[in-house]
Amino acid sequence: MAQATTQTVSISIPDKSAFSWKNLWIALAIITAFEIAVNVYERTFAFAKGLDYFTPDYQTYWMSILYTELILEPTTLIALCSWLWVTRDRAMENLAPAEELRRYWNLGLYLVVYTTLLYWGASYYTEQDGTWHQTVIRDTDFTPSHIIEFYQSYPIYIIAGVGSMVYAMTRLPAYARAFSVPYAVLVGSPLMIFPNVGLNEFGHTRWFMEELFVAPLHWGFVMFGWGALGILGTWLQACPRVLELIKQVYYGKPATPPAVVLNDPERTTKMELCEI
């Protein structure tokens, strides 16, 4: 009686440096230093120079920041997405397992950076904004709190989220020809907080209302913010393929070729691939 044999695949194991945490720690350190500097600036000049929109100091200390944001942020988003597209992998069907695994690692780090920026924008600065507007009567839509919250922190996390999705679509077979619903929710729902700003400003201009998140005008912020939970579905969708690649790269077990993944990306989400 013939015995069944398990086919193994010989693949060179990548160096540990391919899965380094270094870039993540550098990115988080830069983000932390930047956000602390912004917070110190706010605490120094918000009450001292930011209570009267019609003063020269307001134009110097706050509106100049707004004008800079409106130029730099769209430029950065266009430049990042253009670079990711121009440098995309045009032969993903030949992608080596170790390289695909490394790209998933990079995507994971990218998502950690995105969620960190999302916290600063949609949690910290948003809560701070409610406190500011319960304390100070606004005489303009472009308050010091809004200039930092709406026009700085929101666009920054949007740039990171959209960039991460473009990275996945241009580097990983599973995302190249398929639409990931969890990933779209993860990026698209917090992105929609920014257009909701327009409704918020319209409402506050038309009606006098307290800065409470339970107010109907603010329900959009809460709903779209909860869309960040799409990260759970994103991880669950990616984990089977990552585990399949780990077993192939480190244990020599066969895995679905990238060319097959390109044509049938849904098969990489099957939970049986997670079995040892």
Side-chain angles (χ1 to χ4, degrees):
M1 184 176 185
Q3 293 183 347
T5 59
T6 302
Q7 182 182 3
T8 59
V9 181
S10 178
I11 298 174
S12 59
I13 297 177
D15 188 79
K16 289 184 178 180
S17 60
F19 307 103
S20 172
W21 294 92
K22 179 180 177 181
N23 291 337
L24 176 64
W25 298 132
I26 292 174
L28 294 182
I30 292 172
I31 291 170
T32 302
F34 174 76
E35 300 296 356
I36 290 175
V38 168
N39 199 261
V40 169
Y41 186 92
E42 279 188 298
R43 292 175 184 273
T44 303
F45 298 113
F47 282 100
K49 309 291 184 182
L51 298 182
D52 187 350
Y53 174 81
F54 299 96
T55 62
D57 281 346
Y58 197 102
Q59 304 301 314
T60 300
Y61 285 86
W62 293 106
M63 294 305 292
S64 60
I65 294 177
L66 176 65
Y67 299 143
T68 303
E69 291 166 350
L70 294 177
I71 295 172
L72 287 182
E73 289 159 352
T75 303
T76 301
L77 178 60
I78 293 171
L80 175 61
C81 292
S82 298
W83 177 78
L84 289 170
W85 177 256
V86 170
T87 60
R88 68 189 184 280
D89 189 343
R90 292 174 171 81
M92 275 190 276
E93 64 276 4
N94 300 321
L95 186 61
E99 175 60 17
E100 185 178 354
L101 187 60
R102 186 189 70 83
R103 293 181 185 182
Y104 270 107
W105 174 264
N106 289 340
L107 181 63
L109 300 186
Y110 210 149
L111 287 176
V112 172
V113 170
Y114 167 57
T115 52
T116 301
L117 291 169
L118 181 58
Y119 160 76
W120 278 105
S123 181
Y124 180 83
Y125 286 118
T126 301
E127 297 288 350
Q128 174 185 271
D129 182 68
T131 303
W132 172 269
H133 288 116
Q134 284 180 327
T135 307
V136 178
I137 296 176
R138 68 181 78 189
D139 60 357
T140 174
D141 291 336
F142 301 118
T143 63
S145 180
H146 281 184
I147 288 172
I148 300 302
E149 177 199 10
F150 290 161
Y151 304 104
Q152 176 183 285
S153 61
Y154 286 10
I156 287 177
Y157 79 65
I158 289 170
I159 291 169
V162 173
S164 73
M165 197 166 190
V166 175
Y167 177 89
M169 294 169 63
T170 57
R171 266 74 177 172
L172 292 167
Y175 297 93
R177 296 179 185 172
F179 184 78
S180 171
V181 173
Y183 208 152
V185 172
L186 170 61
V187 174
S189 188
L191 185 153
M192 288 303 298
I193 294 178
F194 190 62
N196 196 71
V197 169
L199 174 63
N200 180 74
E201 298 306 344
F202 169 80
H204 280 291
T205 300
R206 188 173 178 85
W207 306 296
F208 286 100
M209 58 192 310
E210 196 171 0
E211 288 285 350
L212 299 173
F213 284 112
V214 294
L217 183 62
H218 298 145
W219 288 355
F221 290 122
V222 178
M223 180 185 68
F224 291 130
W226 278 109
L229 290 175
I231 194 169
L232 301 176
T234 303
W235 288 128
L236 286 174
Q237 197 174 57
C239 278
R241 179 60 175 172
V242 171
L243 291 175
E244 187 183 26
L245 289 169
I246 289 174
K247 289 186 286 186
Q248 183 181 25
V249 172
Y250 292 98
Y251 300 101
K253 296 185 178 181
T256 308
V260 176
V261 175
L262 280 169
N263 294 320
D264 186 14
E266 190 174 348
R267 70 184 296 167
T268 66
T269 64
K270 298 183 182 301
M271 296 309 297
E272 55 263 30
L273 297 175
C274 300
E275 297 176 0
I276 304 299

